């Protein structure tokens, strides 16, 4: 199968950007080494960074600039998605990487940072163009913004250049905290200068969703309640919570994954056609979807949601202890490691069509997928068949094997019977370079292209829904949650949620898909 090349959603990977100083707060952390620095390396390798760029790491760790650079070089060896590392590319990038020791909570260190930026060799090239990446714990987001303002490094001045802020998730822990954080950030950075990053939006097949829907006349006419029975969105993870017990006790699967990643996929699948591919047109339509989801009552939440924890078992040949026995987890915890939620969109296109969103830890397969499940065809013509005609499925695989799969009914050769068949498209079979999500998102932020970033009202609308779910759960009189076996696809209660409406979850990826991809 071949494809014709066309423009991509957001900024295309192509062409260079204006020089800028990128300041990474929390530069000694895992995110910088695993994602951010490798992304800049690949942007440099592919010719997308201009002369005059500077990357400044800001952290408390006492280390020299050569030590900082050497740590990043080792991170490339460990985390780059291409090997071997091109020494010439690294040699062209390394001299423009700097380290500034500083305390995130100390305003005086930001004054020293401002002076450092003014005296860098590249300062004449990048001028006032500053991109700040908050690779820090969420409690530092408002502190960093305020201290940037005190040092005159914020976006309130309008004398040429730009000051932009990239903020990682989680953006708040509920609706009130998200609103409060927005208010603080807006004191120093107007909304167009804030880039709330969700790396799922940088994935190639997520960006393809709008093109697949609106550029194909064989699908767009079918994209509504008349033809679609229901939609499933799955983000399944095989990992346990690992060392993240303290964080997970405050977040759970609903705050960690449902409020952001799954809601992003949900809005892109359900949105109306935007007026254009401009950022605000697309983001307007995404917000309209969330606003069309009624705030569920406690009774609706308990009827249409499932939460559970993984119990003891064996996963990939290793013994897994139950969630309640993980490090830094309460032995009486009611925090979910699995969540399934049924939502409906109260508008003309989707009225009566359920959307099932699920995510969990310690599951049997690692994948992200959207399943569009169509209504059954009338069966009178094929009444002689012993089994009921299956629904048609359209599966959009986001990761790890990006592709689109169509499941349809066909005749069994030599028999008057029906069986399911499938057609498969795999992105990795195309002769294109596939940028990692952070490559695309960083390049878009440098260009001021906000399509693939989350707007403040979208964040708040998502929290409105999740807050209602959390409030209903708090009212339940439970002393433990249902357990599911590690290596399964979740609790039986999630299966029952669909079964009671005559539906079933889509099958996870099969082993043959790996073979087909090769």
């Amino acid at each position: 199968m071949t494809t014709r090349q066309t423009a991509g959603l957001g900024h295309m990977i192509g062409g260079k950007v204006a020089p800028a100083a990128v300041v990474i707060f929390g530069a000694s952390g895992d995110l910088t080494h695993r994602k951010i620095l490798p992304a800049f390396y690949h942007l440099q390798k592919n010719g997308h960074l201009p002369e005059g760029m500077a990357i400044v790491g800001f952290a408390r760790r006492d280390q020299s600039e050569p030590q900082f650079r050497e740590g990043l070089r080792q991170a490339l060896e460990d985390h780059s998605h291409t090997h071997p590392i091109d020494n010439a590319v690294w040699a062209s990038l390394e001299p423009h990487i700097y380290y500034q020791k500083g305390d995130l909570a100390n305003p005086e260190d930001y004054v020293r940072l401002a002076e450092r930026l003014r005296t860098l060799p590249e300062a004449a090239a990048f001028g006032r163009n500053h991109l700040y990446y908050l690779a820090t714990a969420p409690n530092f987001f408002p502190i960093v913004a305020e201290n940037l303002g005190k040092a005159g490094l914020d976006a309130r001045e309008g004398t040429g250049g730009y000051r932009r802020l990239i903020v990682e998730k989680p953006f708040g822990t509920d609706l009130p905290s998200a609103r409060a954080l927005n208010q603080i950030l807006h004191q120093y950075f107007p909304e167009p200068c804030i880039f709330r990053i969700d790396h799922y939006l940088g994935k190639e097949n997520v960006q393809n969703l709008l093109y697949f829907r609106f550029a194909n006349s064989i699908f767009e006419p079918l994209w509504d309640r008349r033809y679609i029975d229901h939609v499933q969105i799955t983000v399944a993870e095989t990992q346990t919570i690992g060392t993240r017990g303290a964080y997970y006790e405050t977040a759970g699967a609903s705050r960690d994954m449902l409020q952001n990643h799954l809601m992003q996929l949900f809005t892109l699948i359900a949105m109306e056609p935007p007026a254009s591919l401009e950022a605000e047109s697309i983001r307007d339509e995404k917000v309209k979807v969330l606003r069309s989801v009624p705030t569920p009552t406690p009774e609706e939440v308990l009827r249409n949601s499932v939460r559970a924890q993984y119990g003891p078992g064996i996963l990939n040949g290793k013994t897994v202890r139950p969630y309640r026995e993980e490090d830094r987890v309460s032995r009486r915890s009611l925090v979910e490691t699995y969540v399934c939620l049924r939502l409906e969109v109260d508008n003309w296109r989707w009225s009566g069509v359920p959307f099932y969103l699920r995510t969990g830890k310690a599951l049997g397969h690692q994948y992200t997928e959207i399943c569009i499940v169509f209504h059954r065809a009338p069966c009178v013509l094929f009444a002689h068949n012993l089994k009921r005609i299956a629904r048609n499925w359209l599966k959009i695989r986001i990761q790890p094997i990006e592709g689109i799969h169509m499941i349809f009914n066909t005749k069994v050769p030599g028999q008057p019977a029906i069986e399911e068949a499938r057609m498969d498209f795999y992105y990795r079979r195309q002769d294109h370079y596939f940028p990692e999500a952070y490559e695309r998102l960083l390049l878009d932020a440098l260009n001021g292209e906000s399509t693939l970033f989350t707007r403040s009202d979208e964040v708040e609308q998502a929290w409105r829904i999740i807050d209602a779910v959390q409030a209903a759960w708090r009212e339940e009189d439970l002393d433990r949650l249902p357990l599911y076996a590690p290596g399964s696809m979740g609790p039986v209660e999630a299966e029952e949620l669909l079964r009671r409406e005559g539906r079933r979850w889509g099958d996870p990826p099969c082993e043959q898909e790996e073979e087909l991809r090769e």
Side-chain angles (χ1 to χ4, degrees), residues 292-322:
S292 297
V293 177
T295 302
T297 65
E299 294 76 18
E300 290 171 334
V301 170
L302 299 183
R303 184 171 64 251
N304 294 322
S305 70
V306 173
R307 53 176 174 150
Q309 295 174 349
Y310 60 80
I314 304 295
L315 180 60
N316 296 327
K318 297 181 179 179
T319 300
V320 174
R321 55 184 171 179

Side-chain angles (χ1 to χ4, degrees), residues 38 122 137-138 215 270 307 328 331 344 350 354 363 372 393 439 452 476:
E122 300 85 357
R307 53 176 174 150
R328 307 177 76 180
R331 298 300 179 260
E344 288 196 14
W350 295 113
L363 299 178
I372 311 297
W393 293 63
E439 293 174 52
L452 301 179
E476 280 191 288

Side-chain angles (χ1 to χ4, degrees), residues 269-281:
I269 281 294
M271 64 184 282
E272 294 296 318
S276 71
L277 291 180
E278 296 296 322
E280 293 312 303
S281 292

